[in-house]
Amino acid sequence: CAIGKYSRLVGSTADSNCIDCVAGKYVSVAGSDEEEDCIACVAGKYVDVAASDDATDCIDCVAGKYVDEIGSDNVTDCIDCVAGKYVEVAGSDSAGDCINCVAGKYIDVTGSDAASDCIDCGAGKYIDVTGSDAASDCIDCVAGRYIDVTGSPQLSDCIRCVAGKYVSVAGSTQEIDCIVCVAGKYSPVIGSETESDCTECVVGKYANETGSDEDTDCIDCVAGKYVSVAGSDDEEDCIACEVGKY
């Protein structure tokens, strides 16, 4: 019998008695006499026709897929890497060959065949684990912080608003999202997440600029003047003493 075939019959008189090795197997020598002589394609490969006569007839599963069994007989036996993973080489023979997207990135489809398929988390977000499979895995920077770049892999990439500013929403994407304390107030807090961190200048003082970051930015009313309310934002809030007083 020709290579790719076998026959168990003794005294066969016709090549029609020779039986094809089934799809998924091959035999590379002539005269095979048992079905067991047909060799299964190794894991990572398949062959979808009968009577294959060489190991080279076995076809690699394409990049992005694997097959972990021997003797596969159809391209559909090749299994997609799950979402969150990819494999860049053909002929993979194990789910373990599929590589996690790095922290800061995700893939939301199966069968990815390149690291470049991994998508950056957007600005304002980060993800600190590998193998993420959805955009929703990306975590907002908390209020008081922002990130102005994509693909951030850790919480510490979230940048605190400077003293004198705050941001009260999560997921901020740029420094200008940090809001300045209004004139008449200051905040020494870095990473402030609420307007209430902006503290009024005490009575007798004012601050006529926004974004003040310490109490020394509050200016004394000059001698001969006073202000009796906190949070004054202009020198003109200082009231002159009445005639006859100092």
Side-chain angles (χ1 to χ4, degrees):
C1 288
I3 55 178
K5 298 173 181 281
Y6 68 94
S7 177
R8 297 193 189 96
L9 296 176
V10 177
S12 295
T13 59
D15 62 5
S16 59
N17 292 322
C18 297
I19 303 167
D20 290 342
C21 287
V22 296
K25 299 188 176 190
Y26 67 94
V27 65
S28 57
V29 294
S32 296
D33 60 3
E34 290 289 345
E35 183 179 5
E36 288 76 12
D37 293 333
C38 298
I39 303 166
C41 289
V42 297
K45 298 175 182 277
Y46 68 94
V47 64
D48 54 6
V49 294
S52 295
D53 60 15
D54 196 85
T56 58
D57 293 332
C58 299
I59 303 164
D60 285 338
C61 289
V62 296
K65 297 175 182 274
Y66 68 94
V67 64
D68 53 7
E69 296 183 355
I70 64 173
S72 295
D73 61 5
N74 199 292
V75 66
T76 58
D77 292 333
C78 297
I79 304 165
D80 284 344
C81 288
V82 297
K85 297 174 181 274
Y86 66 93
V87 64
E88 296 181 315
V89 296
S92 296
D93 60 8
S94 169
D97 293 332
C98 299
I99 302 166
N100 285 334
C101 287
V102 297
K105 298 175 181 272
Y106 67 93
I107 296 176
D108 54 6
V109 295
T110 63
S112 296
D113 60 6
S116 58
D117 292 334
C118 299
I119 303 165
D120 283 348
C121 288
K125 298 174 182 282
Y126 70 95
I127 183 71
D128 55 5
V129 296
T130 63
S132 296
D133 60 8
S136 58
D137 293 332
C138 300
I139 304 166
D140 285 336
C141 287
V142 296
R145 299 180 180 223
Y146 67 94
I147 296 177
D148 54 7
V149 296
T150 62
S152 295
Q154 53 194 357
L155 171 62
S156 61
D157 291 332
C158 298
I159 303 165
R160 290 182 172 90
C161 291
V162 297
K165 299 186 178 191
Y166 67 93
V167 63
S168 57
V169 296
S172 296
T173 62
Q174 49 191 339
E175 194 276 334
I176 61 172
D177 292 334
C178 299
I179 303 166
V180 295
C181 292
V182 298
K185 299 187 177 189
Y186 67 93
S187 175
V189 179
I190 298 171
S192 175
E193 60 186 48
T194 176
E195 193 274 338
S196 63
D197 286 334
C198 299
T199 305
E200 291 180 332
C201 291
V202 297
V203 294
K205 296 175 181 276
Y206 67 93
N208 56 7
E209 295 185 0
T210 61
S212 296
D213 59 9
E214 52 185 310
D215 59 0
T216 56
D217 292 330
C218 298
I219 303 166
D220 290 335
C221 289
V222 297
K225 295 189 175 186
Y226 69 95
V227 63
S228 58
V229 294
S232 296
D233 62 5
D234 194 281
E235 184 179 6
E236 293 179 0
D237 292 334
C238 298
I239 303 166
C241 290
E242 297 175 359
V243 174
K245 296 187 177 185
Y246 68 92

